């Protein structure tokens, strides 16, 4: 990474951090949502982008983090920080216990299994009295959007730095090896089960932290919103749109898609959801390798880039 | 004892409906390796087609099923030929994403076209029941059960014993060889997907006679269909009957002995177990 | 996003400079709301959109509201939250901080009201909502949320009173309720009342919101020969329940539902199968409910149907009540300062087409429910706060004996 790029990134970071002092309330709210989605996308990036195990159920960790904070603060009167730790513990334990059997599955069976896990947890939690069953929990209100914004930004920085470290560490190379050729990696001495589970847990921990912050910010969670299935696709499409397996790709994807979606929500409300679906369909057909790849190659190949993508993948 | 018997019969009849719902998904998945996350949305569309036929043309929902099936076949063919064929050779993961996007689009289009009001298909005999000793059998569910079994057996026979069925299976297993034999894969894939969607539409028509229709029923139905397909196993077309019956009975018993809010826990819990322990399903080969 | 705000600001400035000042009418008082216009509960959400606009138009037509010496017209700023609670919260924040509305009107449904009232509390802008009845909304001791729906815990109150006078006397009761905030509140409030009335609770079952299959529960009701079935749920669930009751030949002596029966859609969807069903409503379009702007509830109902093409039910009346409460409070306070209006709302008491509007200490209205029953093709009021009004059709015959 040369000096210019570092300077640009630091400048962007400074601007982002200053937003709560110059932006409107609505902008800060949008910012928190976009930042948390970016964290989710980065979390997914670890297990989906780098390890090649496309989890369709990271929303389960988000939900566990949310409920961890909610139960800790509402039922046991713990402070927020302790609640976050509790949420992280829940996510980590879940990732290890259920990750080990589920990570033995390949390809889309893994995806389906994680989706099923998310559904099960939502169904289980809606029956747990401590979690408020299907009504959910109301957290003590804290009106400090600036704090939540900076927390979310900090979490995103942490997640991105983790991924950056990943790209330079043995652990990261092991994950990439698993993605490219798992059997080969095992033969070469990579402990695939350990690495996969760690990646899953790491991905889950970031999702849980995002969930915990979100829960405290919104002050109200219920099984449907905490284990929101559509979050899975949102985080995946943002990671894929921006560029899976890259350090900043998911962040770019998250910010750009959030901005477009929010703009539509406030201007042409009912069509916003429709737009989201159309973007997903179009992106998968026209630019399945993400924005980064498109920007890089469109300079060389021009509009033929899209036709090429289609030709490579169609029947 | 009577209560238990009634609950079991409820479960079996529910299972039949479940089997029909999952049939299209299992066909497309097992044969074409296309995992259709928009399956439920197509069931919803089929339900609307049946509703329009019933409300504006007075066509009986059961007798009108072939019409619904044909309409949905055309839609399915177009979707495969025009859209999904474009990503068949991409990683499977792309199929999951694109069909999810498709689900969102279809749901919103349905909301714009049909509004969010719920609809019902309520022919005069829909509320009738017939008695079999102490057991009450709702007529609509009984008919749906019959249709389900018939369709599933027909599908099995079709895939194993007809030329088109064999051509479809051959294409799915070996694209190059199929081409060498003069099979046009793009057309064949579209036909198969069309059949899958026609089946989904039929399930929708049946669903409309026993429950409410609105644009948002898709997601839950997709999830159910997945559970059924996997639990039953994708290798054998009869797997959906096993999966459907198993789930129907499991949910009814859970409702009776544990509580109706635990039905989803049971269904998806079993799904997770099956995926971990026996991913090829109850009727599939042992992993 | 900032770019767009800048352009809009420029346009506003230009408009403000060029617009002729109208001496008689000063700046509009803007009421903001985020309502479910699309999504699974859009069906009922639209009642609120229609009701809010209808009330505002009527108030404006009779001269607006007087603040001091000036008359102000009301305006409505409405967003569609697509039945998404998170979006609803963000939209209320936008209404307050960006659109700078003066006061807030509520969404439909208790879980929305629960989440959205956090926004009104945070920004200290009064919100009057007519869509959430759950006691939870008012248990947080928030000062800026007011509700015009009668408390959930009392929904079956008059029904249980009525049961005492029925013959043959009902002995066993089944209580079925969905697992959301409103219906759990209803169930929690119903149990002690049943106990007081000496009725045995033979079945007490919670079911999942949006459940489509009631065969299990219905089979148990039949096997236990239960006399009275009370269902607290949502319209689609209750529709499924009735249809499945018919197809399983389950006919208790009576059944009563917390929603559905008062609404035209519901009765039309069931057709003849709706006969004998009991429900409740805190509002009926009676000419006895006099209103400052609409004349009386009867005239309101006629005008509403003429304009929108469907009969208003208590949701619509509740929406109108929200607007009227704010209008009255602003006039009483003589100001549009949020804190003063909030205090005026807490003390307000006046008659309207919805009944007497007054809020108790925690911000909720208290209205008794009237038991209603579908009798043939009519909706009849059976039992109210003052006792019996008309003869109920009881007991319900078997389905094949209708």
């Amino acid at each position: 990474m040369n000096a210019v790029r570092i300077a640009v990134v630091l400048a962007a970071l400074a601007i982002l951090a200053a937003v709560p002092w110059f932006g409107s309330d609505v902008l800060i709210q949008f910012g928190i949502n976009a930042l948390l989605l970016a964290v989710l996308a980065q979390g997914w990036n670890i297990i989906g982008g780098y390890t090649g195990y496309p989890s369709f159920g990271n929303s389960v960790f988000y939900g566990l983090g949310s409920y961890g904070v909610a139960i800790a603060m509402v039922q046991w009167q713990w402070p927020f920080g302790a609640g976050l730790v509790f949420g992280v513990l829940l996510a980590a334990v879940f990732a290890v216990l259920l990750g080990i059997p589920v990570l033995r599955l390949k390809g889309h069976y893994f995806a389906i299994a994680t989706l099923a896990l998310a559904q099960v947890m939502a169904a289980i939690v809606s029956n747990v009295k401590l979690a408020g069953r299907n009504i959910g929990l109301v957290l003590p209100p804290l009106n400090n959007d600036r704090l939540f914004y900076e927390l979310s930004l900090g979490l995103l920085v942490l997640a991105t730095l983790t991924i950056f470290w990943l790209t330079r560490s043995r652990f990261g190379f092991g994950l990439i090896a698993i993605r490219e050729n798992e059997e080969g990696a095992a033969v070469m001495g990579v402990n695939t089960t350990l690495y996969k589970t760690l990646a899953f847990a790491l991905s889950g921990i970031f999702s849980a932290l995002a969930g915990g912050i979100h829960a405290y910010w919104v002050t109200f969670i219920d099984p449907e919103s905490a284990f929101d299935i559509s979050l899975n696709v949102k985080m995946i499409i943002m990671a894929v749109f921006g560029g899976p397996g890259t350090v900043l790709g998911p962040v770019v994807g998250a910010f750009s898609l959030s901005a477009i979606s929010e703009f539509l929500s406030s201007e042409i409300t009912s069509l916003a959801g429709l737009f989201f679906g159309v973007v997903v369909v179009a992106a998968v057909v026209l630019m399945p390798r993400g924005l980064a790849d498109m920007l890089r190659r469109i300079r060389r190949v021009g509009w033929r880039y899209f036709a090429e993508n289609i030709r490579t993948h169609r029947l | 004892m009577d209560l238990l018997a009634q609950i079991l019969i409820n479960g079996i009849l529910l299972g039949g409906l479940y089997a029909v719902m999952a049939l299209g998904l299992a066909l497309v998945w097992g044969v074409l390796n296309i995992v259709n996350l928009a399956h439920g949305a197509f069931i919803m569309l089929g339900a609307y087609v049946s509703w329009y036929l019933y409300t504006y043309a007075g066509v009986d929902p059961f007798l009108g099923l072939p019409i619904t099936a044909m309409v949905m076949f055309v839609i399915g063919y177009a979707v495969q030929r025009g859209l999904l064929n474009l990503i068949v050779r991409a990683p499977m993961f792309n199929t999951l994403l694109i069909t999810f996007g498709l689900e969102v689009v279809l749901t919103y289009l349905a909301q714009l076209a049909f509004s969010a009001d719920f609809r019902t298909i309520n022919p005069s005999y829909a509320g009738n029941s017939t008695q079999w000793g102490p057991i009450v059998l709702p007529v609509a569910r009984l008919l749906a059960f019959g249709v389900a079994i018939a369709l599933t057996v027909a599908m099995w026979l079709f895939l194993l014993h007809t030329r088109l069925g064999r051509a479809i299976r051959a294409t799915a297993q070996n694209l190059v060889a199929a081409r060498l034999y003069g099979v046009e894969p793009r057309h064949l894939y579209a036909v198969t997907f069309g059949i899958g969607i026609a089946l989904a539409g039929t399930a929708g028509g049946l669903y409309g006679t026993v429950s409410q229709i609105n644009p948002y029923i898709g997601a839950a139905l997709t999830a159910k269909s997945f559970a059924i397909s996997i639990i039953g196993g994708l290798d054998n077309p009869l797997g959906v009957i096993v999966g459907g019956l198993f789930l129907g009975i499991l949910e009814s018993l859970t409702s009776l002995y544990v509580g109706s809010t635990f039905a989803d826990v049971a269904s998806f819990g079993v799904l997770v177990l099956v995926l971990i322990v026996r991913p090829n399903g109850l009727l599939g080969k042992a992993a | 996003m900032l770019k767009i705000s800048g352009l809009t600001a420029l346009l506003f400035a230009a408009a403000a400079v060029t617009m002729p000042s109208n001496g008689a009418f000063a700046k509009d008082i803007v009421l903001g709301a985020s309502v479910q216009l699309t999504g699974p509960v859009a069906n009922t959400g639209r009642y609120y959109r229609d009701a809010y606009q209808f009330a505002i138009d009527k108030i404006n037509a009779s001269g607006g509201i007087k603040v001091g010496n000036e008359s102000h017209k009301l305006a409505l700023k409405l967003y569609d939250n697509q039945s998404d609670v998170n979006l609803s919260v963000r939209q209320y924040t936008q209404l307050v901080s960006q659109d700078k509305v003066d006061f807030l009107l509520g969404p439909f449904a208790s879980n929305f009201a629960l989440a959205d009232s956090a926004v009104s509390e945070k920004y200290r802008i009064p919100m009057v909502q007519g869509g959430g009845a759950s006691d939870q909304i008012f248990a947080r001791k928030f000062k800026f949320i007011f509700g015009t729906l009668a408390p959930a815990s009392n929904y079956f109150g008059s029904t249980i009173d009525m049961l005492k006078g029925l013959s043959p006397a009902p002995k066993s009761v089944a209580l079925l309720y969905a697992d959301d905030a409103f219906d759990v509140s209803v169930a929690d409030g119903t149990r002690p009342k049943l106990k007081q009335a000496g009725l045995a609770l033979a079945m007490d079952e919670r079911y999942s919101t949006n459940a489509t299959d009631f065969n299990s529960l219905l089979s148990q009701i039949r096997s236990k020969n239960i006399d009275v079935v009370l269902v607290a749920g949502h319209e689609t669930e209750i529709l499924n329940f009735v249809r499945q009751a018919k197809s399983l030949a389950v006919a208790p002596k009576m059944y009563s539902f917390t929603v559905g029966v008062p609404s035209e859609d519901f009765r039309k969807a069931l057709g003849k199968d709706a006969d004998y069903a009991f429900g409740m409503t805190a509002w009926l379009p009676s000419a006895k409910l006099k209103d400052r702007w609409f004349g009386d509830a009867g005239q309101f109902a006629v005008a509403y149907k003429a304009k929108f093409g469907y009969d208003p039910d208590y949701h619509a009346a509740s929406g109108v009540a929200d607007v009227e409460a704010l209008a009255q409070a602003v006039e009483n306070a003589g100001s549009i300062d949020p804190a003063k209006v909030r205090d005026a709302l807490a003390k307000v008491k006046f008659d309207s087409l919805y009944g007497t509007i007054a809020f108790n200490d925690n911000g909720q209205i208290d209205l008794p429910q009237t038991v209603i029953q579908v009798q043939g093709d009519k909706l009849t009021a059976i039992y109210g706060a003052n006792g019996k009004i008309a003869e109920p059709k009881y007991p319900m015959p078997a389905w094949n004996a209708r």
Side-chain angles (χ1 to χ4, degrees):
Chain A
M1 271 251 240
N2 58 24
V4 175
R5 288 179 86 178
I6 296 180
V8 167
V9 169
L10 283 177
L13 210 53
I15 296 177
L16 280 177
V19 163
W21 280 268
F22 297 111
S24 68
D25 274 355
V26 177
L27 186 60
I28 301 176
Q29 297 244 327
F30 162 77
I32 298 176
N33 268 309
L35 288 168
L36 290 177
L37 275 170
V39 170
L40 284 175
Q42 285 287 42
W44 185 85
N45 201 12
I46 300 176
I47 187 72
Y50 283 97
T51 318
Y53 271 77
S55 161
F56 250 77
N58 267 20
S59 59
V60 77
F61 298 116
Y62 183 84
L64 285 173
S66 304
Y67 270 98
V69 166
I71 293 177
M73 294 186 77
V74 175
Q75 308 284 37
W76 300 327
Q77 275 82 48
W78 287 2
F80 178 51
L84 277 179
V85 171
F86 180 54
V88 163
L89 271 173
L90 282 176
V93 167
F94 187 88
V96 171
L97 279 182
L98 281 140
I100 295 184
V102 158
L103 284 161
R104 289 184 306 151
L105 299 167
K106 290 297 185 309
H108 59 280
Y109 275 102
F110 172 73
I112 306 290
T114 51
L115 193 53
L117 276 179
Q119 301 267 51
V120 178
M121 274 320 288
I124 292 178
V125 167
S126 73
N127 281 302
V128 173
K129 188 139 193 241
L130 190 66
R133 293 218 185 91
N134 204 29
I135 297 178
L137 293 170
V138 179
L139 287 90
L142 174 65
N143 295 321
N144 191 346
D145 274 1
R146 281 192 195 158
L147 174 65
F148 287 116
Y149 181 94
E150 302 299 343
L151 271 177
S152 308
L153 183 59
L155 184 59
L156 179 60
V157 169
L158 185 63
T160 309
L161 283 176
T162 305
I163 300 224
F164 183 67
W165 161 77
L166 212 67
T167 59
R168 277 161 169 62
S169 75
R170 229 180 99 152
F171 178 54
F173 287 134
L175 293 181
I176 296 177
I178 293 176
R179 179 184 77 204
E180 300 301 321
N181 184 344
E182 184 160 353
E183 274 157 19
V187 163
M188 299 233 285
V190 173
N191 186 342
T192 53
T193 309
L194 176 68
Y195 275 41
K196 282 191 296 192
T197 312
L198 277 179
F200 199 40
L202 200 56
S203 153
I205 288 173
F206 281 117
S207 303
L209 285 168
I213 295 178
H214 188 262
Y216 195 17
W217 178 51
V218 174
T219 70
F220 176 69
I221 60 165
D222 66 354
E224 200 185 323
S225 60
F227 290 99
D228 185 4
I229 303 286
S230 73
L231 276 178
N232 287 311
V233 178
K234 282 196 181 129
M235 69 175 97
I236 295 175
I237 198 65
M238 287 171 181
V240 168
F241 189 72
T246 67
V247 177
L248 287 174
V251 178
V252 170
F255 283 178
S256 47
L257 284 178
S258 289
I260 303 178
S261 170
E262 187 72 17
F263 170 68
L264 281 179
S265 265
S266 54
E267 301 296 320
I268 329 171
T269 30
S270 355
L271 296 183
L274 182 59
F275 160 79
F276 178 66
V278 171
V279 163
V280 170
V281 173
V284 172
V285 173
L286 296 171
M287 32 180 286
R289 268 179 297 245
L291 200 58
D293 186 77
M294 179 187 93
L295 289 173
R296 228 182 311 133
R297 297 195 49 219
I298 207 168
R299 250 176 270 148
R300 260 178 276 151
V301 185
W303 295 113
R304 272 173 28 227
Y305 174 76
F306 298 117
E308 259 178 34
N309 272 335
I310 298 181
R311 201 168 308 135
T312 333
H313 291 136
R314 74 162 181 213
L315 188 53
Chain B
M1 204 54 229
D2 278 353
L3 178 59
L4 182 58
Q6 176 75 51
I7 298 282
L8 281 174
I9 298 287
N10 289 347
I12 292 174
L13 292 182
L14 183 62
L17 186 60
Y18 278 172
V20 164
M21 271 172 23
L23 195 51
L25 178 73
L27 171 71
V28 166
W29 189 350
V31 173
L32 295 185
N33 215 22
I34 290 180
V35 182
N36 186 6
L37 285 179
H39 181 76
F42 287 111
I43 297 181
M44 177 264 294
L45 284 179
Y48 272 105
V49 170
S50 276
W51 184 83
Y52 273 99
L53 282 174
Y54 174 71
T55 313
Y56 291 106
V59 179
D60 176 83
F62 286 94
L63 295 177
L65 285 179
I67 307 179
T68 306
M70 277 190 284
V71 171
M72 295 307 291
F73 174 82
V74 170
I75 295 177
Y77 186 95
V79 167
Q80 178 71 34
R81 196 83 197 242
L83 185 66
L84 295 179
N85 266 356
L86 295 175
I87 51 120
V88 168
R89 288 190 297 144
M92 161 62 70
F93 168 68
N94 291 23
T95 320
L96 288 169
L97 275 184
I98 206 178
T99 51
F100 184 91
L102 198 55
E103 207 261 343
V104 173
V105 170
L106 288 174
T107 304
Y108 268 92
L109 286 179
Q111 141 81 46
L112 288 170
F114 309 123
S115 92
D117 291 344
F118 44 76
R119 318 249 186 219
T120 56
I121 303 180
N122 217 354
S124 53
Y125 55 83
N128 292 355
S129 53
T130 146
Q131 200 107 7
W132 187 42
I135 312 275
V136 179
L137 297 164
V139 162
R141 294 221 177 181
L142 207 50
L143 285 173
F145 184 79
V147 171
I149 303 296
L151 276 179
T152 314
V153 171
M155 179 57 42
W156 182 57
L157 289 172
F158 169 75
L159 281 178
L160 262 56
H161 296 294
T162 67
R163 261 190 56 177
L164 181 58
R166 283 200 286 252
I168 290 174
R169 281 164 55 223
T171 310
Q173 280 164 19
N174 191 334
L175 203 53
V176 176
R179 272 208 169 101
L180 285 175
Y181 273 86
V183 168
E184 209 323 61
R186 268 177 280 196
H187 170 69
L188 217 51
Y189 264 65
V191 166
T192 313
F193 193 75
I195 295 178
I197 298 305
L199 288 167
T202 312
L206 290 172
Y207 183 84
T209 60
V210 300
S211 189
Q212 313 311 315
I213 310 171
N214 69 59
Y216 311 99
I217 54 177
L221 292 176
T222 306
K224 247 327 134 53
S225 306
F226 265 77
I228 298 162
S229 306
I230 293 182
I231 291 176
L234 296 166
D235 299 325
N236 188 332
L238 293 178
V240 287
I241 298 190
V242 170
L245 285 176
F246 184 84
L247 223 55
I249 295 176
L250 176 68
E251 282 180 12
S252 297
L253 288 175
T254 308
S255 203
L256 177 63
Y257 289 121
V258 186
S260 39
T261 52
F262 287 90
D264 270 356
V265 177
S267 319
F268 291 115
V270 169
L271 173 60
V272 173
L273 271 175
V274 167
L275 277 170
I276 294 177
V277 170
R278 205 185 157 90
N280 285 328
L282 293 172
L283 275 195
K285 313 175 261 286
Chain C
M1 217 158 190
L2 295 168
K3 252 198 197 158
I4 294 164
S5 301
L7 183 59
T8 319
L10 202 59
L11 285 171
F12 261 108
V17 166
T18 55
M19 196 182 284
S21 57
N22 191 334
F25 284 100
K27 162 188 157 329
D28 280 356
I29 296 180
V30 186
L31 305 180
S34 161
V35 169
Q36 297 90 319
L37 298 178
T38 53
V41 289
N43 223 17
T44 319
R46 68 183 160 106
Y47 292 1
Y48 289 91
R49 173 201 59 200
D50 294 342
Y52 291 157
Q53 193 63 63
F54 199 49
I56 288 177
D57 290 342
K58 193 70 168 175
I59 294 180
N60 286 347
S62 42
I65 51 181
K66 267 181 139 13
V67 180
N69 296 336
E70 290 184 317
S71 287
H72 293 261
K73 285 209 162 148
L74 293 174
L76 179 65
K77 181 118 184 96
L78 197 72
Y79 285 125
D80 172 18
N81 59 35
Q82 301 171 38
S83 301
D84 177 344
V85 182
N86 286 335
L87 184 56
S88 179
V89 172
R90 293 214 302 279
Q91 286 174 340
Y92 274 106
T93 305
Q94 183 173 339
L95 283 166
V96 174
S97 55
Q98 190 164 339
D99 301 321
K100 304 253 187 278
V101 300
D102 294 296
F103 306 105
L104 296 173
L105 294 167
F108 167 59
S110 292
N111 54 334
F112 281 77
L114 199 53
D116 297 333
S117 53
V119 178
S120 55
E121 195 70 13
K122 171 176 172 178
Y123 288 95
R124 308 182 72 76
I125 305 270
M127 176 190 289
V128 185
Q129 58 90 13
S134 164
D135 304 48
Q136 277 197 333
I137 301 171
F138 302 96
R140 288 194 280 183
K141 310 249 188 294
F142 282 359
K143 296 246 157 280
F144 285 83
I145 182 72
F146 296 89
T148 53
L149 273 192
S153 44
N154 196 27
Y155 260 59
F156 280 119
S158 331
T159 310
I160 296 177
D161 283 341
M162 177 194 78
L163 287 178
K164 291 189 226 159
L166 290 178
S167 160
K171 291 197 213 58
S172 53
V173 178
L175 177 62
L176 308 177
Y177 59 103
D179 58 3
D180 64 294
F182 168 68
D183 298 302
V184 169
S185 273
V186 171
D188 287 343
T190 305
R191 281 187 206 100
K193 292 193 208 285
L194 284 171
K195 195 148 176 222
Q196 257 186 333
L199 290 161
L201 198 52
M203 251 179 91
D204 186 350
E205 288 289 328
R206 197 179 76 239
Y207 66 86
S208 297
T209 307
N210 292 326
T212 50
D213 188 43
F214 291 93
N215 281 7
S216 238
L217 292 170
L218 284 164
S219 302
Q220 292 173 58
I221 290 174
R222 195 163 62 104
S223 138
K224 296 190 181 158
N225 255 318
I226 298 197
D227 292 327
V228 171
V229 178
L230 305 175
V231 183
H234 310 90
E235 274 194 41
T236 14
E237 297 153 18
I238 292 175
L239 252 142
N240 278 332
F241 183 86
V242 174
R243 293 176 85 195
Q244 287 168 20
K246 178 174 178 189
S247 72
L248 277 172
V250 175
K253 293 206 175 70
M254 74 87 89
Y255 48 33
S256 176
F257 308 109
T258 50
V259 298
V261 172
S263 105
E264 203 184 325
D265 287 339
F266 176 85
R267 300 197 301 272
K268 235 193 290 185
L270 279 179
K272 287 215 288 277
D273 298 338
D275 208 3
Y276 295 95
F278 282 88
M280 71 286 290
T281 176
W283 178 80
L284 283 168
S286 142
K288 291 202 214 109
L289 296 167
K290 302 283 179 228
D291 186 272
R292 171 179 159 187
W293 288 282
F294 285 97
D296 61 53
Q299 293 175 20
F300 158 74
V302 169
Y304 190 99
K305 168 106 187 218
K307 171 140 189 176
F308 295 111
Y310 63 92
D311 287 319
D313 69 351
Y314 69 88
H315 295 109
S318 181
V320 170
D322 296 341
V323 176
E324 292 196 6
L326 274 170
Q328 192 67 54
V330 168
E331 283 203 347
N332 291 355
S335 139
I336 54 171
D337 171 65
K340 295 210 179 98
V341 173
R342 186 257 145 214
D343 290 337
L345 272 171
K347 293 202 282 275
V348 83
K349 182 168 180 175
F350 66 100
D351 288 335
S352 73
L353 61 85
Y354 188 62
T356 307
I357 298 184
F359 303 108
N360 59 21
D361 287 340
N362 61 9
Q364 205 171 16
I365 208 172
D366 196 8
L367 293 170
Q369 298 283 353
T370 304
V371 178
I372 48 179
Q373 187 186 25
V374 180
Q375 298 189 336
D377 51 4
K378 281 196 285 105
L379 191 61
T380 318
I382 303 286
Y383 195 96
N386 300 325
K388 186 156 150 182
I389 303 174
E391 200 61 44
K393 275 168 58 171
Y394 171 89
M396 191 165 73
W399 285 98
N400 52 16
R402 286 196 180 196

